[in-house]
Every structure is written in C-alpha cells, then in structure tokens.
Amino acid sequence: MARASTPNPSAFSQFRTLLAKDLRIEFRTKEMVTSMGLYALLVLTVYGASLAQTAWGFNILQMAGGLLWVVIIFTSLLGLNRSFSQEKEFAALDGILLVPMDRSVIFLAKMSANLIFLLAIQIITVPLFAFFFLAMTTPANTAPLIVLPLLVGSVGIAGIGTLLSTITMHTRGKDVLLAVLFIPLIFPLLYACVSATSMMLVGTDDPGAIWRSLALAGGYDVIMILLSWVLYDFLLSA
C-alpha cells in the first residue's frame, strides 16, 4: 500500500512559524530590543544635554516631530543591522532556504518581526520623549493622532529595512553600507511622516495637509513593500 504523501504546509503556516521563531529568539535573548532601547535613551540624553544650552526663546514644539523621527530612524538602523545576526552566525538562513517555500514568506516574516520590535521600542520612547521635552509645552488637540504617522512610517521602515539588511548581510562594513542605502531610500517616507507628525503636534489651519502627508507615506509604503516582496526571491537566489 502506497504511503500517503504529507501535504506541504500553507504559506500562512510557514509565515507563522518563521515569525514565531524570531519572536522566541528575541524573547529568550532580548538582544535587539535591549540594544535599541538603550540606544534610544542615549539619544534622548544627548538631546537633553544639547537643548539645555539653547536660548529661552527656543520653541521645542516646532522641532519635536523631526527630533522624534531622528530617534526612530537611527534606532531602527541599529535593529535592522542585527535582524539577520542569528541567521548569519548559525547559518540558519541556509537551512531555511532548503525548505520548499516561497521566498517572499521569509521577507514577510522578517519584516513583521522587525515591525513588532520597532513598535515595542516606540511604546517606550515616545512617552519618554513627550515627558522630557513636551511637558512644558501645549501640543495641539491633534497630538494623539501621531500614532498614525508612527505606524505608517514604521511599516515602511520595516519593509525597506528588511530588504536592505538582506542585501548587506554578507558584505564588509555592512553597518555603514546599510545606512548609506537606507537613508536616501527612506527620505520620501521620512519627509511625509515628519510633516504629518509636526502638524499634529503644532496644529494647522489646513487639516487636509495632514491627510495628504499620510496618504503620501501610505502610498510609498505600498509601492516599496510590493517591490521588495517581488524582488526578494531573486535577491535570495542570486
């Protein structure tokens, strides 16, 4: 009697397994979240030391959106540099590539893990930033809506960053190369998110400008993530 063949797991099941693997490793080691959190706190400390020397007439609220996104961008770079550290160190990626699966599943799982880690850091960083730098100011009523550009921007950062971290994984000087590739490529998204965040904190007479900035950021996310998803199979096969 012929043995019944075992059905291949679905793409969603493979995605869930890969994502759970990354989350279990991080939950056990806490390397990425700890390093990103400490780095964000150090940047906030540098902000405090620098801005303490400014004149009394300095309006921190006008620059708060840009300062917040500087923390997010450079903290995410640190995390993205480490996102494939386990796969590279233990050659785990080679074993994953032997499994018959769509390579885009690997991209989506790693992107989702990076997004979760980045959002976890923001849950800590944003309230601390508000406490230290915005406690003596009066943000606009739209300030709570900054969660929207933070979410939209984080999705784009995780998607593009995952693709670029894969490209630079085996290169020499990958830390510098990732930053050189990442910053120019992320600039349109960064511009739109800083604009939306600043208008939400300061207030604006044209609420439509906020939604136009969010629409620009969302459109950028869709285009770049789809492009990364399509190119990922070719990238891993090269």
Side-chain angles (χ1 to χ4, degrees):
M1 179 181 297
R3 295 180 59 186
S5 59
T6 303
N8 292 328
S10 64
F12 178 74
S13 177
Q14 294 170 339
F15 164 81
R16 187 174 56 188
T17 301
L18 291 174
L19 177 59
K21 180 263 297 179
D22 285 336
L23 295 180
R24 280 198 303 268
I25 291 174
E26 181 58 29
F27 183 77
R28 184 171 64 249
T29 64
K30 300 179 178 62
E31 291 181 358
M32 186 179 295
V33 171
T34 301
S35 60
M36 292 171 68
L38 288 175
Y39 186 82
L41 289 176
L42 289 174
V43 174
L44 291 177
T45 302
V46 172
Y47 279 173
S50 302
L51 297 177
Q53 307 301 320
T54 58
W56 287 103
F58 180 77
N59 188 350
I60 184 64
L61 196 60
Q62 295 287 341
M63 297 184 62
L67 293 175
L68 178 59
W69 275 100
V70 169
V71 179
I72 293 171
I73 289 295
F74 285 103
T75 302
S76 64
L77 272 173
L78 180 65
L80 292 169
N81 272 317
R82 300 179 61 87
S83 62
F84 280 96
S85 60
Q86 296 289 335
E87 285 83 352
K88 181 180 179 181
E89 183 176 355
F90 300 106
L93 185 60
D94 294 334
I96 294 174
L97 293 177
L98 294 176
V99 178
M101 70 167 68
D102 190 343
R103 299 296 188 258
S104 60
V105 174
I106 302 174
F107 166 75
L108 293 175
K110 183 63 72 172
M111 170 189 159
S112 299
N114 288 332
L115 177 60
I116 291 172
F117 300 147
L118 183 56
L119 292 176
I121 294 301
Q122 290 179 21
I123 291 174
I124 301 172
T125 304
V126 174
L128 285 176
F129 180 87
F131 176 77
F132 287 118
F133 300 105
L134 302 181
M136 303 301 294
T137 64
T138 306
N141 295 331
T142 54
L145 293 177
I146 65 169
V147 295
L148 296 178
L150 289 175
L151 179 59
V152 174
S154 297
V155 171
I157 290 172
I160 299 168
T162 299
L163 177 69
L164 295 180
S165 62
T166 306
I167 294 174
T168 60
M169 178 172 49
H170 296 294
T171 60
R172 296 181 62 182
K174 64 183 182 68
D175 296 353
V176 176
L177 184 58
L178 177 60
V180 169
L181 295 175
F182 180 75
I183 298 298
L185 196 57
I186 208 74
F187 179 80
L189 177 64
L190 178 61
Y191 181 87
C193 289
V194 169
S195 176
T197 304
S198 298
M199 286 187 287
M200 289 174 178
L201 291 174
V202 178
T204 178
D205 295 330
D206 182 15
I210 296 177
W211 302 109
R212 287 193 294 270
S213 294
L214 288 175
L216 175 61
Y220 182 87
D221 282 357
V222 171
I223 294 172
M224 296 304 296
I225 290 176
L226 285 177
L227 184 61
S228 300
W229 179 71
V230 170
L231 293 176
Y232 208 74
D233 189 6
F234 170 77
L235 177 63
L236 289 181
S237 302

